[in-house]
Structures are given as structure tokens and as C-alpha cells.
Amino acid sequence: MSTRTLIAGCAIVTVDAQRRELRDGWVLIDGTTISAVGTDPDDPMVTGLGDDVIRVDGSGCVLTPGLVNTHHHLYQWITRGLAADHTLFEWLTTLYPVWAGIDEQAVNVAAVGGLTHLMLSGCTTTTDHHYVFPKEGGDLLAAEILAAQTVGVRFHPTRGSMDLSEKDGGLPPDSVVQTIDEILTASTDAVDRWHDPATDSMLRIALAPCSPFSVTTDLLRESSTLARHLGIRMHTHLAESPDENTYCAEHFNATPLEYMESVGWVGNDVWFAHGIEFSDNEIGRLAATSTGVAHCPTSNARLGNRICRTKELVAAGVPVGLGVDGAASNESCRLLEEAHQAVLMARAKGGPTALTTRTAIELATIGGARVLGRDNEIGSVEPGKLADLVLWDLDTVAHSDIDDPVAALVLGAQPPIRGSWINGRRVVDEAGILTVDAATVADKTRAEHRRLLDKAGR
């Protein structure tokens, strides 16, 4: 028999099509899905429940959809705090020699650490962009997939790639790039082994050549052809910095988006990380093709890049989600903090009405789900959706006098989590994460950080 859970007595921010907000409601989970949402405690759906239902007291809390992270680099969790005052290209050239030493153990430990932290901060679905594959590193994609299965998160890893190294005029060291044939073979194998297209899938694969300055034009074309043949999504970094604009102008006589359009990299199966440098006309073309953007405000600011035009992207109808980006350029990696930063960055550039608190919650939930092609399955609290939910405790000194729960979430300090569910399974409670021991995870990541730096001679 499937497990049923009733969460009652809480405010609910549904983020459904009508954007309903309930001041005092309940949600019934049946197995992996939400079976009912209501406000009347005397509803037969509630009063008719037997003793077998798990009852969760939501008083003093707000329930939201689980947060969706649309861009990350989990292997970087064990290289946080390095190159703290560098530009993007300086940061990359400083860290690539360290990342060249990663192996299965390093990636698994880093991924468990990064995913544990994400789940403790309200994330229930996350992508990962892994593109560094040292020749002696082992099966790194499998290492992070095993980590996700251990922690219990809904996972969208991307099989990244680089084939343009220092000797070819790129930024990565020669030891971490692969040939096109190696990349396409490994990409096909990853989809065959891991991709699950089922409605309640916990694991889906996408293809993700790294960036215009670390892959060849042939790899971009071949990857898009393969991804569409396999029926999976495509992801890459794009329009992140002025340096990238200069690189694309010098090498391709084009803007970053013009270049990607020339190799078939736009469409409703594509999403770009960052998207800071798009013009008005380019934003219109993204909207017309339903090409998505993962907005990473904290990382953008950490690396000193310019401010993403989130207001214009949203207004045009571009699918926009939020991303924490890699932990080496966002040591915090809390997705609710990205909603907070998204509001502040947009308003700093476009004025006090540039991005509302409710739009920020939408970007963190249904927006991210749309970017990943799963907005019919996750991203809102409504019957028939998968039961990916977070119960935030607002009965605290930091939040109790903020009447608006959305303002409390987006503008206030990050609240404690009283409960988190993925596919109807409770993975976080008041005491913390239920699937792993957080103290042990911290010890392992500390040791792995030191091992990797020792290997690099740091």
C-alpha cells in the first residue's frame, strides 16, 4: 500500500496557474503524488482519513513546492574558497590545475556534500554540469549519480565535455579534455545507462558541452544532433561575461548567441547558464524559441560579472530558473538565497519594481521546472503533481512578525525547514537530513578537500 501523508495547518504558496495562496490549508500526499489541496479542515478528504495516514503539523509554517536548481558544478564543493578575488578567466585558469586531479572518490564525496547542503536549504530537484574528465579519473558521472541516489534528490546530471585545450587556444589543461569521438561515445553510453524518461523519474540525463571557449564548433554541432536523436535536453554556459563577448567576436565574428544559433543550439530543449549579456533583440529570439536561462545571481556577483537582465527575460516570456552555480564561485549554494539575490540584483539595476518577491519564488520553483521540461510534473502544489514539497518554519524570531510569508521567504533570513518531501518520501525533518549523517559528510568533504589540494601541490 502507498504511504499517505497529511500536512495541515500551514500557509500554502501553490505557484499553480492561478497563483493561489492559502492562509491556512492542507495538502494530502498519496504515494509519490499530491492527491488533494484544501482549506476546510472538515473536508471529507481530511475527516475520512484513517489511522494509517502520517500527520504533519504545519502550524507556524508555509508550504511551497520544492526548489529547483537549474545549474551547478558539484565537484567544486571540495574547492570552495579558492581564487576568491579573481575574474572569470583568472578564476578558471587558477582552478583548472586543481580540478585536473579529481577522481571518482573526490567527485562522489563532493557531490554528497553539495547535495546534502542543497536539500537542507529547500532544494528537491537539481541539475549538475560535469565537464572535467581527467584521463585517470574513472567513471565520474557514475560517481555523482551514486551520490544523488544516496542522498535521495531528484537529479538531472548533464554529461558535459571539453575538446579545446590550452594547446588549441582554449583555457582547460590538455589532461582534462577528450576527443569528439570519446565524448559522443560516453554521452550515448550515459543516456543508455542512466536516463529515465518516466513521469516520476528521479534521474534524467542531458548533454552539455562546457562553453564557447572550451569546445569546438564540431562538438557543439555533433552534440546537438545526438541529443535530439536521443530525445534529451541540452545545456551550456553562455553570455556570461564581457571576456566571452570578446572571444566570440574574435573567433567567430558573432555574439555568443549568434554563434550558438549557427550550430543549432536554440529551442525548447536548450537552456543556457547565466545569460547576462543578451541584447533586446536576442532576448526576443530566446523567447520565440522557448530557449531557457539559468539565472545565477550570486555566482555572477562573486566573479564580478555584470547583472543579468532578469526583468526583460521574464517580461519577454523566456523560461527562466535559478541556479546556485558551482560551489567554487558560490560558497553558500543555497537556492532560496538565489531568489533573494535575484530580487536585489534586478532592483539595483531596474528599480524597485523590476522583480517582485512572488516572481522570485516562481523562478525558484515552476520556472526552474519549465527550464528542465518538467513543469507538468513538479514546481507547484496542486493535485496530480509529484509530491516535492518544503515546509518552512516561520515561527521564529527572524520571521514571526512578517505577515506576508512570501516576503518572509524571499527578503528575510533563510527559515529553518520543518519538513521536505521528494516523490512523497520525507527526506528532511526538524532535526535535519534523514538520508545521510551530515557530520560524517562534513568530515569526508574536509578530508577530500585537503587530499585534492595536496595532489595539486597547494
Side-chain angles (χ1 to χ4, degrees), residues 27-372:
V27 171
L28 182 62
I29 301 170
D30 193 346
T32 63
T33 62
I34 299 167
S35 61
V37 178
T39 57
D40 183 359
D42 296 323
D43 189 300
M45 289 289 294
V46 175
T47 59
L49 295 172
D51 293 336
D52 61 330
V53 70
I54 300 169
R55 297 175 184 270
V56 177
D57 179 10
S59 58
C61 296
V62 59
L63 187 75
T64 70
L67 307 186
V68 180
N69 179 34
T70 59
H71 187 62
H72 207 341
H73 306 294
L74 287 165
Y75 74 93
Q76 293 180 11
W77 187 258
I78 53 173
T79 59
R80 291 184 296 161
L82 305 176
D85 303 306
H86 294 53
T87 67
L88 172 61
F89 277 27
E90 290 170 345
W91 176 85
L92 285 169
T93 54
T94 299
L95 286 169
Y96 269 135
V98 178
W99 296 335
I102 61 174
D103 54 22
E104 289 181 25
Q105 177 179 312
V107 169
N108 180 261
V109 170
V112 170
L115 293 172
T116 296
H117 182 69
L118 275 177
M119 288 171 61
L120 284 171
S121 54
C123 184
T124 57
T125 296
T126 185
T127 61
D128 187 61
H129 187 182
H130 191 91
Y131 55 86
V132 178
F133 289 91
K135 291 178 172 53
E136 306 301 324
D139 194 343
L140 303 186
L141 188 65
E144 68 171 12
I145 288 173
L146 177 60
Q149 292 172 338
T150 299
V151 176
V153 73
R154 196 182 300 282
F155 198 35
H156 280 237
T158 66
R159 206 300 175 176
S161 54
M162 297 188 292
D163 70 334
L164 191 65
S165 67
E166 288 175 317
K167 67 178 175 56
D168 305 309
L171 292 180
D174 299 340
S175 63
V176 300
V177 304
Q178 298 173 299
T179 67
I180 292 180
D181 286 344
E182 289 172 332
I183 291 164
L184 297 178
T185 297
S187 298
T188 302
D189 178 65
V191 175
D192 289 343
R193 289 174 65 193
W194 303 111
H195 184 69
D196 178 9
T199 299
D200 61 352
S201 171
M202 292 289 288
L203 180 60
R204 291 185 184 173
I205 305 291
L207 299 190
C210 182
S211 66
F213 48 84
S214 58
V215 304
T216 62
T217 301
D218 286 343
L219 177 58
L220 286 171
R221 286 200 181 100
E222 293 290 339
S223 294
S224 66
T225 299
L226 177 61
R228 285 171 174 142
H229 171 71
L230 296 172
I232 61 173
R233 303 182 80 77
M234 301 147 60
H235 181 50
T236 192
H237 299 93
L238 198 74
E240 184 174 0
S241 72
D243 286 341
E244 184 184 330
N245 292 342
T246 301
Y247 183 93
C248 288
E250 291 177 350
H251 288 78
F252 313 118
N253 193 31
T255 68
L257 182 61
E258 288 170 344
Y259 174 53
M260 298 307 285
E261 288 173 316
S262 74
V263 291
W265 268 76
V266 292
N268 63 4
D269 54 355
V270 176
W271 84 101
F272 298 133
H274 302 292
I276 300 169
E277 300 291 321
F278 295 130
S279 68
D280 288 346
N281 183 268
E282 289 178 326
I283 289 174
R285 301 206 301 273
L286 292 171
T289 56
S290 296
T291 304
V293 172
H295 177 34
C296 307
T298 300
S299 176
N300 295 345
R302 156 74 152 86
L303 292 170
N305 293 321
R306 292 187 281 209
I307 298 174
C308 180
R309 302 179 66 198
T310 319
K311 174 184 177 181
E312 291 84 356
L313 290 166
V314 171
V318 176
V320 180
L322 296 179
V324 300
D325 202 5
S329 63
N330 177 6
E331 281 74 4
S332 177
C333 281
R334 295 186 298 178
L335 197 59
L336 191 60
E337 187 173 296
E338 299 308 308
H340 178 88
Q341 294 289 0
V343 169
L344 299 187
M345 296 286 180
R347 293 182 183 186
K349 182 173 184 178
T353 61
L355 195 71
T356 70
T357 54
R358 279 161 176 78
T359 299
I361 286 292
E362 291 171 14
L363 299 185
T365 55
I366 196 69
R370 183 184 175 201
V371 165
L372 299 184

